[in-house]
Every structure is written in C-alpha cells, then in structure tokens.
Amino acid sequence: HDNLHRGSFSVEVILALLLFKISDPSSIYLTRGNHETKNMNRIYGFEGEVKAKYDEQIFDLFLEVFGFLPLAATIQDKIFITHGGLPSTAGVTLQNVREIKRGGEPPESGLASDLLWSDPQPFPGRSPSKRGVGFSFGPDITEAFLQENQLNLLVRSHEVKQEGYLVEHGGKTITVFSAPNYCDSMGNKGAFIHFDESLEPKFTQYDAVPHPNIKPMQYAAGMGGLFA
C-alpha cells in the first residue's frame, strides 16, 4: 500500500509506521508504493507537507528512506505482496525481484515500474495502462507468474475499491485498499487482510471516522508541483 497518498496527515502516518518498525522490527514490514517517489511526493503534497511541518533536509531524509524500501514481499513463500501488479514480461522470478537495485528513484519502465504501477484486468493478456505507466494484466498472466514462482496468491493495492477490497482472477488476485472515504469524497470502506496458519484471507472492513478539518492535498499546489 502507499504509506502516504494525497492525505494531509502523511507525515504523522509515515512517522508512526517508522516508529513501529524501530520499536519491533520483526512485527511490521513496509514496502514501497508508487507514491513513495520524488515526483509523486511533489505533485500530491507530501513534499509541501514535510516542508511546512519541518524542512527540506527532513524531506530529503524521507526520500532516502523510500529509496531503500523493498518493492515486494512474500508470506510463507506462498503469497506475493506488491503495491501495483505483475511484470510486463513473462518468466520473471522472485530472484529477479530481489535483484532490483534499491537506493534511488524507480525508472519509468521495467520491472520496478511494473511492480509499482500495474493493475489487474478481467480479460486475458496484457494491455496498455490507462495510467500511462505500467500495464494491465489478465488472469492468465497472474496464473503464469504464480506457477512460475510456486506461489498461490497475489495481494496488491493501488486502486480504491468500494468495499475496501476486491477478489479477482478466480481468487488468485486480491486488491486491498485501507483508506476509507478516499480523499473525503469516494464513500468507500477501508479494509485489511489477516492470514492465519492456513493462509486463507480473512477480511476486516471499516468506515471513515472524523478527522481535523484539513482537506486532502492541503499542501499540494497542482500538477505543476509548485508550492505557494
């Protein structure tokens, strides 16, 4: 999941997650989303928020941390977790994912970009993405990737879902979205997944609660990324 995404309390969210990681490293694992990147931080307000609450040096430290976050994770070697979706080429292995160089900004295309930006589609094959980056992948692509890597399930985020989650591709792909009432306007539920020893997904849904009267993207200044 994006750890920060258009909200105006992203600093507090990411600091809480990092403090959890420092406090008990084996109890929380953070992966990188497409919004943990410099360009998205500039456009959607995280850069402005950090500079308003702290300064440019702290923002640069956040960028450094984001650059070293992993792009994917597995649970018990059977569940593949990434923010966006699957590779745009066949035959990609988990070892290929492990070998992605960390420590900077992801390129505009290639494996890292695919993992951050791609989306599932209901029909077979691959299609150009409506986002203009990444691509859309069908149930056959999911099945081939899972078989290639002896996995059972793909869990990803990247898209708001009205019920907080959506199961697709014959139960092989799950999208989970944890931000309820996205951008204070979508009216969607949020959700998270719990996996027990059986590795069967159990979903918890929840509604939005009131927050301080600060609008989403309060610190953004439009697509130009220029701050007033």
Side-chain angles (χ1 to χ4, degrees):
H1 208 309
D2 289 317
N3 300 302
L4 43 104
H5 189 176
R6 305 189 193 217
S8 295
F9 307 96
S10 293
V11 167
E12 290 81 3
V13 170
I14 189 61
L15 286 176
L17 292 171
L18 292 173
L19 287 169
F20 285 137
K21 185 66 176 177
I22 292 168
S23 174
D24 195 351
S26 64
S27 293
I28 181 171
Y29 295 89
L30 304 176
T31 58
R32 191 175 192 177
N34 66 306
H35 278 256
E36 279 82 58
T37 56
K38 187 174 184 178
N39 285 342
M40 300 296 277
N41 290 165
R42 177 171 295 122
I43 293 169
Y44 290 107
F46 183 67
E47 180 177 350
E49 181 184 354
V50 175
K51 290 180 177 179
K53 295 176 179 178
Y54 294 99
D55 55 32
E56 186 169 0
Q57 183 179 12
I58 297 299
F59 176 65
D60 289 341
L61 288 172
F62 276 123
L63 289 180
E64 185 175 357
V65 171
F66 297 159
F68 284 97
L69 291 175
L71 297 176
T74 60
I75 298 176
Q76 302 287 13
D77 297 322
K78 289 299 179 185
I79 301 171
F80 185 73
I81 298 170
T82 193
H83 176 70
L86 296 181
S88 56
T89 55
V92 172
T93 66
L94 294 183
Q95 185 58 34
N96 297 139
V97 176
R98 293 186 188 100
E99 291 170 355
I100 295 173
K101 184 179 179 182
R102 299 195 218 173
E105 293 300 299
E108 293 185 6
S109 61
L111 180 54
S113 177
D114 293 340
L115 295 172
L116 290 172
W117 284 96
S118 294
D119 298 293
Q121 63 184 20
F123 46 87
R126 294 182 174 91
S127 304
S129 173
K130 61 184 182 294
R131 301 175 186 271
V133 60
F135 76 107
S136 298
F137 58 95
D140 56 325
I141 306 301
T142 299
E143 184 66 31
F145 177 81
L146 295 178
Q147 285 189 3
E148 172 83 27
N149 292 284
Q150 299 180 305
L151 296 160
N152 294 339
L153 178 66
L154 165 66
V155 176
R156 44 87 64 181
S157 185
H158 200 37
E159 296 178 287
V160 61
K161 298 300 179 185
Q162 198 60 32
E163 294 301 314
Y165 71 94
L166 183 67
V167 181
E168 300 175 87
H169 293 178
K172 297 291 188 179
T173 296
I174 298 176
T175 298
V176 60
F177 196 84
S178 65
N181 195 26
Y182 179 53
C183 288
D184 285 351
S185 62
M186 296 297 289
N188 61 289
K189 295 180 183 295
F192 63 85
I193 307 173
H194 176 256
F195 292 100
D196 61 17
E197 294 82 357
S198 71
L199 297 184
E200 289 297 318
K202 295 178 174 58
F203 300 96
T204 298
Q205 299 167 285
Y206 48 89
D207 294 311
V209 298
H211 62 73
N213 188 27
I214 301 175
K215 66 182 181 180
M217 295 178 60
Q218 174 73 32
Y219 301 95
M223 297 300 287
L226 301 175
F227 301 101

Tab-separated table of all heavy atoms in Angstrom, residues 1-2 45 83 161 189 213:
chain	number	residue	atom	x	y	z
A	1	HIS	N	0.840	-1.182	0.000
A	1	HIS	CA	0.000	0.000	0.000
A	1	HIS	C	0.873	1.229	0.000
A	1	HIS	O	1.962	1.245	0.568
A	1	HIS	CB	-0.882	-0.009	1.261
A	1	HIS	CG	-2.185	0.729	1.081
A	1	HIS	ND1	-2.235	2.006	0.586
A	1	HIS	CD2	-3.462	0.375	1.331
A	1	HIS	CE1	-3.521	2.401	0.558
A	1	HIS	NE2	-4.272	1.418	0.991
A	2	ASP	N	0.403	2.312	-0.650
A	2	ASP	CA	1.064	3.588	-0.439
A	2	ASP	C	1.001	3.920	1.041
A	2	ASP	O	-0.077	3.915	1.647
A	2	ASP	CB	0.342	4.703	-1.217
A	2	ASP	CG	0.546	4.602	-2.716
A	2	ASP	OD1	1.686	4.346	-3.132
A	2	ASP	OD2	-0.424	4.795	-3.454
A	45	GLY	N	1.540	16.509	-2.712
A	45	GLY	CA	1.504	17.252	-1.464
A	45	GLY	C	2.420	16.816	-0.354
A	45	GLY	O	2.575	17.543	0.626
A	83	HIS	N	2.757	-3.400	-4.473
A	83	HIS	CA	1.787	-2.305	-4.491
A	83	HIS	C	0.901	-2.331	-5.728
A	83	HIS	O	-0.323	-2.237	-5.640
A	83	HIS	CB	2.496	-0.949	-4.408
A	83	HIS	CG	1.533	0.200	-4.520
A	83	HIS	ND1	0.637	0.495	-3.517
A	83	HIS	CD2	1.285	1.072	-5.519
A	83	HIS	CE1	-0.113	1.528	-3.887
A	83	HIS	NE2	0.256	1.891	-5.096
A	161	LYS	N	-11.334	0.605	-3.841
A	161	LYS	CA	-12.420	-0.356	-4.035
A	161	LYS	C	-13.559	-0.008	-3.078
A	161	LYS	O	-13.323	0.269	-1.903
A	161	LYS	CB	-11.930	-1.786	-3.783
A	161	LYS	CG	-10.830	-2.243	-4.747
A	161	LYS	CD	-11.299	-2.215	-6.199
A	161	LYS	CE	-10.208	-2.636	-7.161
A	161	LYS	NZ	-10.626	-2.496	-8.578
A	189	LYS	N	-15.434	1.950	1.789
A	189	LYS	CA	-14.913	1.367	3.012
A	189	LYS	C	-13.403	1.171	2.875
A	189	LYS	O	-12.869	1.116	1.767
A	189	LYS	CB	-15.577	0.019	3.303
A	189	LYS	CG	-17.059	0.091	3.583
A	189	LYS	CD	-17.615	-1.298	3.870
A	189	LYS	CE	-19.114	-1.253	4.093
A	189	LYS	NZ	-19.487	-0.504	5.296
A	213	ASN	N	-10.150	19.314	10.535
A	213	ASN	CA	-10.709	19.944	9.339
A	213	ASN	C	-9.598	20.493	8.439
A	213	ASN	O	-9.423	21.701	8.277
A	213	ASN	CB	-11.683	21.057	9.726
A	213	ASN	CG	-12.432	21.604	8.524
A	213	ASN	OD1	-12.620	20.901	7.534
A	213	ASN	ND2	-12.837	22.862	8.599
